[in-house]
């Protein structure tokens, strides 16, 4: 009786083992059969590869270069140079022939000019010369010195603005155009400033009767 029981238990165990190892009753085929099958199926390399993409994105057409250009603004017209004033009415031949800046004084006409390389650049302007007792010297001279404010020691320190000396003691300067001088050439304040700023030491000054 015990042997029959043992045999039945062993038979039941054999059936249970066969079911866990893959359902085969063959002992040679059940040893490790389930593990091998599982390993074989999981370690197989994947044979499916994605198909290479052969289509490339279409190139974006470049926009044509702009052919429109900004219209340049017209340049402002250049001012026309002022034509030189004729020296036909200037009675100072030597001053007109001098290079650089020069001055001309006409005592009888009470007129004065500034010239540049023979061309009149300023004038004629009104002037008043020395009185008969102290006349303005005539001839061709050169600027000796300049003094923005000169005081005449000979005549009670009288002011002589914008003095341009062309002869010892005599100069162009701001003075009355109604009272004769003591030898200097009186000019208006505007004219004397122009003479002072234009003439330089060494420039020719011609005074004619």
């Amino acid at each position: 009786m015990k042997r029959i029981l043992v045999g039945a238990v062993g038979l039941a165990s054999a059936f249970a083992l066969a079911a866990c190892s893959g359902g085969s009753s063959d002992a040679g085929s059940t040893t490790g059969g389930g593990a091998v099958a599982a390993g074989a199926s999981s370690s197989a390399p994947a044979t499916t590869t994605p198909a290479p993409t052969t289509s490339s994105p279409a190139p974006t057409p470049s926009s044509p270069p702009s052919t429109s250009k900004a219209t340049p603004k017209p340049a402002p017209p250049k001012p026309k140079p002022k034509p030189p004033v004729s020296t036909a009415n200037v009675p100072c031949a030597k001053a007109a022939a001098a290079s650089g800046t020069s001055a001309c004084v006409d005592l009888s006409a009470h007129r004065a000019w500034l010239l540049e390389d023979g061309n009149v650049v300023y004038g004629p302007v009104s002037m008043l010369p020395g009185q008969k007792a102290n006349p303005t010297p005539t001839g061709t001279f050169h600027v000796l010195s300049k003094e923005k404010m000169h005081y005449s020691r000979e005549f009670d320190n009288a002011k002589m603005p914008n003095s341009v000396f062309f002869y010892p003691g005599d100069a162009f300067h701001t003075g009355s155009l109604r009272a004769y001088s003591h030898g200097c050439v009186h000019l208006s304040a505007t004219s004397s400033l122009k003479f002072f700023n234009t003439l330089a030491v060494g420039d020719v000054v011609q005074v004619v009767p």
Side-chain angles (χ1 to χ4, degrees):
M1 185 69 178
K2 287 182 179 180
R3 287 180 182 178
I4 295 171
L5 265 176
V6 171
V9 171
L11 184 60
S13 299
F15 277 114
L17 181 61
C20 290
S21 62
S24 176
S25 59
D26 185 9
S29 63
T30 58
T31 306
V36 171
S41 62
S42 63
S43 63
T47 57
T48 304
T49 58
T53 303
T54 57
S55 61
S56 58
T60 304
S62 58
S63 58
S66 176
T67 56
S68 62
K69 295 182 179 180
T71 304
K73 294 182 180 180
K78 295 182 179 179
K80 294 181 180 180
K82 294 181 180 180
V85 179
S86 172
T87 58
N89 296 325
V90 179
C92 302
K94 291 184 178 179
S99 61
T101 308
S102 59
C104 172
V105 179
D106 185 342
L107 297 180
S108 59
H110 293 179
R111 293 288 184 268
W113 297 260
L114 287 173
L115 300 92
E116 181 73 32
D117 294 326
N119 297 315
V120 175
V121 294
Y122 186 69
V125 295
S126 297
M127 54 77 62
L128 208 58
Q131 54 187 289
K132 290 182 179 180
N134 298 286
T136 300
T138 59
T140 302
F141 313 101
H142 293 84
V143 175
L144 301 175
S145 63
K146 296 168 60 175
E147 197 171 347
K148 186 63 179 174
M149 178 59 77
H150 179 77
Y151 295 90
S152 175
R153 296 178 182 177
E154 187 177 356
F155 299 100
D156 299 325
N157 287 328
K159 293 181 179 180
M160 297 168 55
N162 301 321
S163 289
V164 180
F165 288 91
F166 59 88
Y167 189 83
D170 294 327
F172 297 106
H173 66 84
T174 301
S176 172
L177 295 179
R178 290 179 294 181
Y180 287 88
S181 71
H182 292 88
C184 290
V185 175
H186 282 180
L187 297 169
S188 69
T190 300
S191 296
S192 69
L193 180 61
K194 183 68 174 180
F195 272 62
F196 183 86
N197 290 335
T198 303
L199 292 171
V201 173
D203 287 343
V204 171
V205 175
Q206 185 175 2
V207 182
V208 296

